[in-house]
Structure formats: structure tokens, C-alpha cells
Amino acid sequence: MPGGVLAQLLGASRPISWVNTAYPFAAAYLLGGGGLDAVLVVGALYFLIPYNLLMYGVNDVFDYESDLRNPRKGGVEGVVLDRAWHRTVLWASGLANAPFLVFLVLAGTPASTAVLAVSVVAVVAYSVPVLRFKERPVLDSVTSSTHFVSPAVFGLALAGAEPGRTAVATLVAFFLWGMASHAFGAVQDVVADRAAGIASVATWLGAGATVRAAMAGYALAAVAMAAAGWPALLAAVVPLPYLFSIAPYRRLRDEECERARPGWRRFLWLNMVSGFLVTQLLIAVALGLL
């Protein structure tokens, strides 16, 4: 039984995506003036696992009907969470988050706590009944992007950083990248979501139009990053491979939406490459090479 519980919780938390929230927090905290301290460790651990369990576990519970019809569920992109585990996952998500949140609130300031509150509310509001931001086209992409950008904003706030030109431009670019990525991710689910009666930016715009909107989002992210000033503007090239990767799907018809799945798998690998390139840039800056 314990092994079964752990397997379900692990699958629901999407291990492949853990770094996508922990890394922005840790990088922002350190760049904002934070040190190698307990706050960094606890914050990074929080955004690595409990935060993702809350985000994806709650989503899996309330997206159960859609997931049953979704051919990409059941692997690294998420489990089809058996009904028998729904209550367990909800309780585990809350209990895993509580001690971390208490620590981070006590260690922070009113400003950082406000950012943390926005982050957690956005995670919950995306999936829970009544609110269900994920079923409100465009707001779904805005909320999803908040899931990944807010840990970085929280890291800066927790470190007491004053947001300058580089930080603002980077966060804007990151937010546009996040919206574009969510929108493209929704394309492959158009048929499954419509069958389950779930709305999204992709069911609203249609597959091809959503891909074109995502391409525009990546292009704008590159423009925003170019405004960050030297040497951060070097990262303006990072969104471009995403744009070119999804371009072949720009005329995709709704009924063939699942053809976008290879593009989404490339997206998952591009994240690893992009993270590596950004890390090298940060190291070069830290060493005074740029």
C-alpha cells in the first residue's frame, strides 16, 4: 500500500517538471542578493516537490474525466489518477505544502508573502471547481504562466531585491514564454477537452490559430528579452527554437490536433537545453566573463 501511494503521488507531481519551478526561484533568490542559506534550501525544496504536487495533483483530481480520454496521459506527462486516490492526493498536497508555507511566510516580508499568496492561489484556482481558471480561455494561459513566473518573483521579493530594467524585462519575457507554452500545450488536447466539455484557449481559438498565437508569444518574449540590456539580452535567442519548433503546426486543423504531440515532446527537451544555456550565461556573468 505505501508503495502504491508513493507511486501515485510521484506520478501526480510530474517529476519532469520539478526543475521548471525550483530553478526560477533559486536563480532569482541568488541573483537578487540572497545567500546560500536555509531560506534558499527550503524555498528550492518547496518549489521542487510540494508546489508541483499541489499544482498537478489537484489538476489530476478535477481533470479525471478529460484525462480518461487523453491519449498522452499515463506517462511522464501525468498519470490518470484512479478515483480511489483522489482524496489521498488532495490531503497529501495540502499537508506537504503547509509546513513549507509557514516557514516561508515567517522568513519573508509582507511583499514576499503577498507574492507567495498569489502563486498558491493561482495554482489552486486553475483546477478547483467553480473557479476553474483553466476553463477560461486566455485566463488559462495567464494563470499557467503565473505558476512558473511567480516563484522567480517570490525569490526576488524574498531576497529584498529592487526590480531593475534587467529583472523586469526578464520576467516579462518569461511570462510571455509561459503563456505561449501553455497555449501550444493545449492544442494537442482540443478533441479530448471538447469531448469532456472543458474549455481552453485552444478550444476557443482552434488548433491552428492557437499555434500562431503561441508563435507570436515566443517572438514577443525574444523582443522583451532583447530589451534587458547587456549581457542578459543574449538570452533573447532562447525563445526562438520554440517558435521554429511549433511553426509546422500553424495550419493544424482541430480534428488532427494530436499531430502536435511531437512538437510538445520537443518542447520538453527544449526546456532542458534552454535551462542549460541560461545556466551557462549566469555562470559567465558571475565569473565576470561578460
Side-chain angles (χ1 to χ4, degrees):
M1 182 67 73
V5 171
L6 291 176
Q8 290 291 316
L9 294 176
L10 184 65
S13 70
R14 311 285 203 283
I16 196 172
S17 297
W18 288 357
V19 69
N20 295 340
T21 46
Y23 184 93
F25 164 79
Y29 182 74
L30 291 172
L31 290 172
L36 298 173
D37 51 24
V39 174
L40 172 66
V41 173
V42 173
L45 284 174
Y46 172 65
F47 286 109
L48 188 72
I49 304 176
Y51 181 82
N52 281 289
L53 178 60
L54 181 67
M55 175 160 56
Y56 294 117
V58 171
N59 182 258
D60 283 349
V61 169
F62 294 109
D63 275 11
Y64 177 70
E65 294 298 331
S66 175
D67 287 348
L68 286 174
R69 300 172 173 83
N70 194 329
R72 71 186 177 98
K73 295 296 182 179
V76 296
E77 296 178 54
V79 298
V80 178
L81 198 62
D82 191 282
R83 286 186 186 276
W85 298 107
H86 286 188
R87 185 180 296 274
T88 300
V89 168
L90 292 177
W91 272 103
S93 299
L95 292 174
N97 274 255
F100 287 90
L101 292 175
V102 170
F103 177 92
L104 293 171
V105 168
L106 293 176
T109 64
S112 66
T113 297
V115 174
L116 184 61
V118 169
S119 187
V120 174
V121 168
V123 163
V124 175
Y126 185 77
S127 300
V128 297
V130 181
L131 294 175
R132 291 288 286 177
F133 285 5
K134 74 163 292 171
E135 293 196 57
R136 304 177 190 277
V138 182
L139 181 59
D140 57 347
S141 292
V142 169
T143 307
S144 177
S145 189
T146 300
H147 296 163
F148 301 97
V149 177
S150 60
V153 179
F154 177 65
L156 291 173
L158 201 57
E162 292 291 333
R165 170 187 172 186
T166 297
V168 171
T170 300
L171 291 173
V172 170
F174 191 12
F175 198 86
L176 290 167
W177 174 90
M179 286 189 64
S181 299
H182 174 273
F184 179 67
V187 168
Q188 60 196 314
D189 295 335
V190 167
V191 171
D193 283 348
R194 284 179 176 162
I198 293 177
S200 73
V201 65
T203 63
W204 178 56
L205 288 178
T210 303
V211 173
R212 294 191 292 275
M215 292 173 64
Y218 287 136
L220 290 172
V223 171
M225 201 64 229
W230 180 265
L233 64 81
L234 293 173
V237 302
V238 172
L240 299 181
Y242 293 91
L243 189 160
F244 297 130
S245 176
I246 70 174
Y249 308 105
R250 63 189 180 278
R251 294 188 179 88
L252 195 66
R253 296 193 303 272
D254 290 359
E255 60 270 21
E256 57 181 10
C257 67
E258 291 178 15
R259 283 184 50 213
R261 289 186 66 193
W264 183 250
R265 286 193 289 268
R266 282 197 301 274
F267 167 83
L268 297 176
W269 285 108
L270 279 172
N271 285 347
M272 304 299 178
V273 175
S274 298
F276 172 79
L277 293 176
V278 170
T279 299
Q280 301 315 300
L281 177 59
L282 293 177
I283 291 173
V285 171
L287 294 177
L289 301 178
L290 293 172

